[in-house]
């Protein structure tokens, strides 16, 4: 059984691939929405270095407090209490918005509006290297056929507004 602070299954085998696809650079600014225990935020904070920043947004104060205590050695990682209807960050303040396994928590009917609002937080001066989304698919049919066998999953990087240039191996 997995504790609340351990990374999700498959995280360790995929983090290098995902980090490469995010193409983060020293000095980049990221918002990680639904940061949870901060596993992704920590990875991104190390990639953006001390001149960058990662805003780790979470809707539960308890999780924000836990991240603040856990990541005191990473001053570029900024846990904060995130609004449920937006990031609370200024317009054009981030190079990348990262959302992992939280889309289903968005209020039904408000997902598109939330994502449209999220675009205002992204800087537009940068080339489209950061217009990507990571999408994780689960095979729900397999789960219903054989509940004892875990569902297959795959992750792929998608350029937003353009066809995917490749799938992961």
């Amino acid at each position: 059984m997995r504790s609340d602070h351990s990374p999700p299954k498959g995280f360790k085998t995929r983090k290098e691939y995902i980090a490469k696809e995010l193409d983060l650079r020293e000095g980049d600014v990221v918002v990680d929405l639904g940061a949870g225990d901060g596993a992704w935020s920590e990875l991104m904070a190390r990639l953006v270095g001390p001149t960058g920043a990662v805003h780790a947004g979470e809707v539960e104060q308890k999780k924000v407090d836990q991240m603040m205590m856990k990541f005191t050695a990473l001053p570029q990682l900024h846990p904060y209490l995130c609004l449920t209807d937006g990031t609370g960050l200024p317009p054009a303040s981030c190079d990348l918005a990262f959302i992992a396994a939280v889309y289903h928590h968005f209020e039904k009917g408000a997902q598109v509006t939330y994502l449209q609002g999220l675009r205002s937080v992204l800087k537009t001066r940068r080339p489209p290297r950061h217009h990507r989304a990571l999408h994780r698919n689960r095979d729900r049919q397999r789960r219903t056929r054989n509940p004892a066998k875990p569902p297959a999953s795959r992750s792929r990087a998608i350029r937003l507004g353009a066809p995917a240039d490749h799938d992961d191996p």
Side-chain angles (χ1 to χ4, degrees):
M1 188 166 153
R2 183 170 81 76
S3 78
D4 287 340
H5 296 289
S6 63
K9 184 178 179 180
F11 174 85
K12 289 183 179 180
T13 62
R14 304 307 257 174
K15 71 179 183 179
E16 309 309 329
Y17 167 76
I18 291 168
K20 180 181 174 227
E21 287 299 312
L22 292 176
D23 192 26
L24 290 174
R25 298 178 185 169
E26 183 91 18
D28 279 348
V29 178
V30 178
V31 59
D32 178 7
L33 297 170
D37 67 0
W40 288 107
S41 297
E42 178 183 23
L43 171 69
M44 292 183 284
R46 294 187 190 288
L47 293 170
V48 301
T51 61
V54 175
H55 302 286
E58 187 47 67
V59 295
E60 294 180 33
Q61 186 64 52
K62 180 181 175 183
K63 289 182 180 180
V64 173
D65 295 340
Q66 289 170 341
M67 283 190 288
M68 285 181 160
M69 290 182 359
K70 185 177 178 180
F71 300 117
T72 56
L74 284 172
Q76 68 269 36
L77 201 159
H78 309 284
Y80 77 103
L81 191 61
C82 187
L83 306 170
T84 58
D85 62 349
T87 65
L89 297 173
S93 61
C94 296
D95 297 296
L96 174 79
F98 184 82
I99 302 171
V102 294
Y103 185 77
H104 62 282
H105 289 294
F106 292 162
E107 198 173 308
K108 285 222 184 278
Q111 296 102 330
V112 171
T113 304
Y114 188 94
L115 293 174
Q116 287 171 336
L118 183 58
R119 288 185 72 168
S120 70
V121 174
L122 296 174
K123 297 174 184 175
T124 56
R125 65 176 177 78
R126 294 212 103 148
R129 69 181 176 90
H130 280 149
H131 293 181
R132 294 180 187 242
L134 291 172
H135 174 53
R136 184 177 171 113
N137 249 348
R138 294 208 178 269
D139 182 354
R140 295 183 190 272
Q141 285 184 334
R142 181 181 283 175
R143 187 182 316 147
T144 57
R145 276 190 234 135
N146 184 354
K149 189 173 183 181
S153 67
R154 63 186 175 99
S155 298
R156 61 186 178 126
I158 304 167
R159 283 193 185 160
L160 297 180
D165 54 355
H166 66 281
D167 281 343
D168 63 296

